């Protein structure tokens, strides 16, 4: 209703899709925390994007003045503009991300801001691929089924990686990460 009227007045195409189309299984049956779920959605949305880049906003972002695209995209050279937030502001996010992806050490040079953010569609898809790979590697090392039958393990991981990903967020023994720390770490 209301969104359709707004979408028609924009100079670009806007599509609304159900969150459930981003997942192979229904997220409401998982133990995922809503905070982790909304972060994953920003990366998984790349599956439905038909452009090289896409704009990500949080639900708590409001426009208080006319939208100026030059605040998000620099023209010479063309690149996304974001407010850098150094590693030291949230070291546990960066450490959790590296642990989650199976990387050692700490990269204190890492930085990224928050929404609004312009993400590379390819970069987001690469990030979700690395998340799946890391989870499947972890699963293979812990499940007897994986040791007995690697092909069964791969099929199980493919079917469950989203659930495994989101169920680990913020849990005891789980990793604290953000969509942006995952994205930046993978692309670095």
């Amino acid at each position: 209703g209301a969104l359709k009227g707004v979408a028609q007045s924009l100079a670009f195409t806007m599509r609304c899709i159900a969150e459930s189309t981003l997942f192979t299984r229904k997220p409401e049956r998982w133990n995922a925390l809503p905070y982790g779920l909304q972060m994953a959605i920003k990366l998984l949305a790349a599956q439905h994007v038909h452009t090289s880049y896409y704009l990500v906003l949080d639900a708590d972002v409001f426009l208080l003045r006319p939208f100026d695209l030059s605040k998000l995209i620099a023209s010479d050279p063309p690149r996304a503009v974001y407010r850098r937030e150094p590693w030291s502001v949230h070291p546990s996010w960066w450490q959790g991300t590296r642990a989650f992806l199976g990387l050692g050490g700490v990269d204190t040079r890492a930085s990224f801001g928050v929404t609004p953010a312009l993400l590379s569609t390819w970069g987001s898809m690469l990030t979700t691929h690395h998340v799946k790979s890391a989870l499947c590697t972890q699963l293979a090392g812990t499940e007897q089924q994986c040791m007995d039958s690697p092909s069964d393990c791969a099929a199980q991981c493919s079917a469950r990686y989203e659930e495994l990903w989101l169920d680990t967020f913020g849990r005891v023994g789980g990793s604290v990460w953000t969509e942006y720390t995952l994205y930046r770490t993978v692309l670095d």
Side-chain angles (χ1 to χ4, degrees):
L3 261 182
K4 190 173 185 177
V6 170
Q8 290 171 341
S9 69
L10 298 174
F12 54 87
T13 303
M14 185 172 95
R15 279 187 317 147
C16 294
I17 60 169
E19 290 175 358
S20 60
T21 64
L22 301 174
F23 301 95
T24 53
R25 295 175 65 190
K26 295 191 183 273
E28 63 270 9
R29 296 190 181 148
W30 304 345
N31 294 316
L33 296 172
Y35 184 55
L37 186 62
Q38 65 90 17
M39 287 191 287
I41 285 169
K42 292 175 197 160
L43 295 172
L44 293 168
Q47 303 168 57
H48 293 276
V49 174
H50 302 288
T51 58
S52 297
Y53 300 91
Y54 62 106
L55 179 64
V56 175
L57 300 169
D58 280 340
D60 61 354
V61 173
F62 296 94
L63 289 176
L64 299 175
R65 55 187 162 271
F67 180 73
D68 181 0
L69 191 59
S70 70
K71 301 290 184 199
L72 295 175
I73 303 174
S75 59
D76 192 26
R79 60 178 163 61
V81 175
Y82 61 92
R83 184 175 169 211
R84 287 189 184 272
E85 187 176 272
W87 174 91
S88 59
V89 174
H90 298 289
S92 64
W93 295 356
W94 294 98
Q95 292 165 339
T97 295
R98 292 187 68 80
F100 180 74
L101 293 172
L103 304 171
V106 175
D107 182 0
T108 58
R109 298 168 299 150
S111 68
F112 202 90
V114 293
T115 62
L118 195 62
L119 300 181
S120 156
T121 304
W122 174 85
S124 291
M125 293 177 82
L126 182 65
T127 301
T128 57
H129 171 78
H130 277 270
V131 165
K132 182 176 181 178
S133 177
L135 285 168
C136 290
T137 298
Q138 292 170 20
L139 183 66
T142 59
E143 299 280 325
Q144 185 62 43
Q145 175 188 358
C146 293
M147 294 171 201
D148 296 340
S149 175
S151 62
D152 287 347
C153 184
Q156 178 185 358
C157 187
S158 288
R160 291 192 53 223
Y161 95 93
E162 295 156 343
E163 182 178 357
L164 294 168
W165 178 17
L166 297 172
D167 280 354
T168 63
F169 177 80
R171 307 270 185 231
V172 173
S175 299
V176 177
W177 46 264
T178 73
E179 66 276 51
Y180 304 116
T181 57
L182 285 169
Y183 177 86
R184 179 62 191 254
T185 300
V186 167
L187 293 184
D188 281 349

